[in-house]
Amino acid sequence: MDLSLRSCKKLVHLDLKGAPPRIDYLIQLIQLFADLGANGLLIEYEDMFPYEGELKVLQSTTQPPYSREEIASIQDAASKRGLEIIPLVQMFGHLEFVLKHKVFRDLREVDYCLGTLNPHHDRGVRLVKEMLKQVMKLHPKSTNLHIGADEVYMLGLGDESKQWLSAPGRSVHKLFLNHVIKVAKGIQKSVPNLKLIMWDDMLRSMTPETIKESGLVGLVQPMLWDYSPALDVKNTVELMELYKSAGMSQQWVASSFKGSTTVHTCVTSTQRHVDNHLQWLKVVSGLSAGIELQGIALTGWQRYDHLSVLCELMPVSLPSLASCLETLLHGSFTEEVQMKVVKTLGTVEVGDLERSSSKMPSSFVGAKLAELIVKLTSLLESAELRQFQSNMFVRGWFTPYHIQRKTVNPLIAQQIKTQAKMILDDVEIQVQEVKGEMCLLYSVSTVQEWMDQHVTPVLEPLRNLLRDTESVLNEMGFCT
């Protein structure tokens, strides 16, 4: 059993840039996170933060951001349960929610990449410092701040960067480090006791000497992230040891309990994420004594980035989160651990009837929505629905050729229509159930987005086919 991960900070990541829960549900979730063994929150507001002044344009236009009072209530709920809050504010990459706006377009590294900030503009540095300042002003008790800095795509490809890189001794690595250090020192100057964390991926290809000579050491603690169930233990241990040799002995790691399977996944696989945590346990047990592990962030991405579709909603992922936290606490995912999760939530995997107990129905906050989503997703992925247009009758008697030339067999057209309507009616009943339950936990705009992204693309071809059969039968003089 690994004692390091058991005793260190366990942060649940709240990615609020997609499907932000209604505030009353979010408060309930915070209570549940504490009950499950978490002792901190890593909160990424993005466009759901009530930015002011020039930054007000960053606020979401599809739904109101959390108010200052609501952010205070989040901190109050967390504090009462002993949960530390660490805000996460991006300051280099993944700035799509900022740079998509026309007023900030000239701050992009390259015009066609909405995520990466041009590090040469003083206005860009002032912008991210102001974002950080406003967020921290509403989190006066937070002693840690995550500044992102991951996946800084296209860095070095802008005209100003190319010019900067043309001088001897300069590299993209130094270009990246210069910006991070400039921002970090600015934060350190205004809030001296604030500890800074950053994602590590942009550091991975650097030598210890490059990191050490840059001045980054002592300013920022790296958070190594890997969400794969087949995480490479040996390479990850070596990477953490490399950071230590560069002088960065205080480190964090990040796993995943949802949002890292595919960009459009709707239902979370508990085992996949448990396996990721089992690999992290192996990594930590293989570290040398000189590495000071600060904690682990269990990430729960709601989107891959600001402009991508919604991943699994939180209710569907809570059994996975519970299982992952118990795995960290016990050092394994035994039958005993699984039964502990079942006792708490009623299940270890939403929709897994074999391991769910009829005597202990799922009772966690959002359980009804989770079960409805699993049921609807199963229907949407069924062969009957997805392959309807490929069945013998449609491909044999109701092709565009037949429709265009009005050589349709009315008997078969009627049969296709009846079957399509029956399937659509069945799905629509379940869609309405999901909508009704989802509206209790999420805004109307989130509900509509989820439907448009995950339901409409599957149903629209069938709806079009139904309209075509009705139109053809009408033209042929058959009452529909």
Side-chain angles (χ1 to χ4, degrees):
M1 182 184 297
D2 179 74
L3 299 178
S4 297
L5 278 177
R6 166 187 269 190
S7 58
C8 74
K9 292 176 183 176
K10 288 170 281 293
L11 313 173
V12 175
H13 173 229
L14 281 171
D15 179 13
L16 302 176
K17 65 175 176 284
R22 293 186 184 276
I23 189 64
D24 53 344
Y25 181 48
L26 184 51
I27 299 301
Q28 287 181 292
L29 286 172
I30 291 171
Q31 305 293 343
L32 179 60
F33 296 160
D35 291 340
L36 296 177
N39 49 25
L41 301 174
L42 180 63
I43 304 183
E44 188 168 1
Y45 293 101
E46 220 181 71
D47 60 355
M48 286 303 293
F49 186 81
Y51 286 108
E52 298 179 329
E54 184 189 18
L55 301 186
K56 191 168 184 178
V57 69
L58 304 183
Q59 295 182 13
S60 170
T61 56
T62 58
Q63 57 192 302
Y66 291 114
S67 67
R68 300 167 72 87
E69 292 74 23
E70 287 172 336
I71 289 177
S73 70
I74 291 170
Q75 292 173 86
D76 185 54
S79 177
K80 286 178 179 176
R81 295 303 307 273
L83 271 66
E84 173 186 2
I85 289 183
I86 300 178
L88 193 165
V89 185
Q90 289 284 2
M91 43 68 75
F92 207 168
H94 282 301
L95 283 171
E96 291 89 354
F97 83 106
V98 177
L99 301 178
K100 71 177 183 180
H101 295 286
K102 189 175 181 180
V103 67
F104 298 126
R105 182 172 179 171
D106 64 329
L107 297 181
R108 301 173 191 171
E109 170 71 339
V110 292
D111 192 53
Y112 54 85
C113 179
L114 276 62
T116 298
L117 186 74
N118 180 334
H120 305 282
H121 282 202
D122 288 341
R123 182 180 171 222
V125 174
R126 289 196 302 271
L127 169 68
V128 293
K129 283 183 179 179
E130 180 62 22
M131 288 166 57
L132 293 161
K133 177 183 175 183
Q134 290 195 23
V135 170
M136 291 313 298
K137 185 178 179 181
L138 294 193
H139 294 81
K141 294 181 180 179
S142 290
T143 56
N144 289 279
L145 168 65
H146 198 307
I147 58 173
D150 61 316
E151 298 179 332
V152 188
Y153 301 127
M154 306 297 173
L155 182 62
L157 298 184
D159 291 339
E160 288 168 284
S161 288
K162 287 178 180 177
Q163 184 178 353
W164 188 88
L165 290 167
S166 66
R170 292 179 175 178
S171 66
V172 173
H173 287 160
K174 290 183 179 180
L175 179 61
F176 170 80
L177 290 166
N178 284 351
H179 177 74
V180 173
I181 290 167
K182 187 185 296 183
V183 173
K185 283 185 174 178
I187 301 167
Q188 192 180 58
K189 186 176 180 181
S190 57
V191 191
N193 296 322
L194 190 64
K195 294 178 182 177
L196 304 181
I197 305 166
M198 65 178 283
W199 299 117
D200 84 298
D201 54 283
M202 296 296 290
L203 305 176
R204 291 175 191 174
S205 59
M206 298 183 192
T207 65
E209 290 71 32
T210 298
I211 295 172
K212 193 180 298 183
E213 292 169 4
S214 70
L216 187 69
V217 178
L219 277 177
V220 181
Q221 299 170 355
M223 179 178 279
L224 292 85
W225 60 272
D226 194 315
Y227 313 141
S228 171
L231 180 158
D232 190 319
V233 174
K234 181 175 179 290
N235 283 352
T236 306
V237 169
E238 289 176 355
L239 184 59
M240 295 180 77
E241 295 291 349
L242 181 148
Y243 292 152
K244 184 192 77 169
S245 69
M248 305 177 87
S249 58
Q250 295 181 321
Q251 302 175 27
W252 299 72
V253 298
S255 57
S256 169
F257 72 91
K258 83 176 189 79
S260 59
T261 303
T262 67
V263 71
H264 52 76
T265 299
C266 286
V267 178
T268 308
S269 166
T270 292
Q271 189 63 55
R272 174 186 174 86
H273 297 287
V274 165
D275 287 345
N276 173 241
H277 286 78
L278 291 172
Q279 293 299 96
W280 271 116
L281 286 167
K282 293 177 185 177
V283 168
V284 175
S285 66
L287 297 176
S288 66
I291 293 177
E292 303 171 40
L293 189 63
Q294 303 298 296
I296 180 169
L298 292 82
T299 64
W301 300 101
Q302 196 53 70
R303 302 184 194 276
Y304 275 30
D305 67 34
H306 180 75
L307 300 172
S308 64
V309 302
L310 295 170
C311 301
E312 313 101 297
L313 296 180
M314 184 64 78
V316 183
S317 310
L318 289 174
S320 171
L321 174 61
S323 299
C324 292
L325 282 168
E326 286 294 343
T327 298
L328 294 179
L329 289 169
H330 291 83
S332 60
F333 191 56
T334 62
E335 188 173 337
E336 180 184 353
V337 173
Q338 294 177 49
M339 288 311 300
K340 189 171 181 182
V341 176
V342 170
K343 186 175 181 181
T344 305
L345 299 184
T347 180
V348 294
E349 184 116 33
V350 179
D352 186 346
L353 298 178
E354 291 182 7
R355 286 193 283 193
S356 295
S357 170
S358 58
K359 295 180 182 179
M360 293 183 288
S362 300
S363 56
F364 58 90
V365 290
K368 184 177 179 181
L369 175 60
E371 290 166 356
L372 287 172
I373 287 177
V374 171
K375 185 179 177 184
L376 175 59
T377 301
S378 178
L379 184 56
L380 292 173
E381 293 177 351
S382 67
E384 183 182 28
L385 197 159
R386 287 189 174 264
Q387 298 174 17
F388 189 87
Q389 289 180 294
S390 299
N391 73 31
M392 180 180 70
F393 297 106
V394 177
R395 295 199 64 178
W397 284 271
F398 203 73
T399 66
Y401 176 91
H402 293 99
I403 297 169
Q404 185 179 356
R405 286 164 178 75
K406 297 182 173 56
T407 57
V408 173
N409 183 325
L411 178 64
I412 290 182
Q414 183 63 51
Q415 183 175 337
I416 293 171
K417 175 196 161 189
T418 300
Q419 290 178 337
K421 190 173 187 309
M422 184 171 63
I423 293 173
L424 282 170
D425 286 349
D426 187 24
V427 175
E428 192 57 42
I429 290 171
Q430 294 191 35
V431 167
Q432 292 307 317
E433 283 187 294
V434 170
K435 276 186 177 179
E437 194 64 26
M438 200 180 289
C439 279
L440 299 177
L441 309 182
Y442 296 96
S443 69
V444 173
S445 63
T446 291
V447 177
Q448 190 60 54
E449 180 184 356
W450 193 89
M451 292 293 165
D452 288 345
Q453 291 177 345
H454 297 293
V455 178
T456 302
V458 180
L459 297 187
E460 200 57 34
L462 196 56
R463 287 171 177 155
N464 290 337
L465 181 63
L466 180 60
R467 282 193 290 267
D468 286 343
T469 58
E470 290 174 341
S471 176
V472 167
L473 287 169
N474 276 328
E475 286 182 16
M476 297 175 69
F478 295 97
C479 180
T480 60

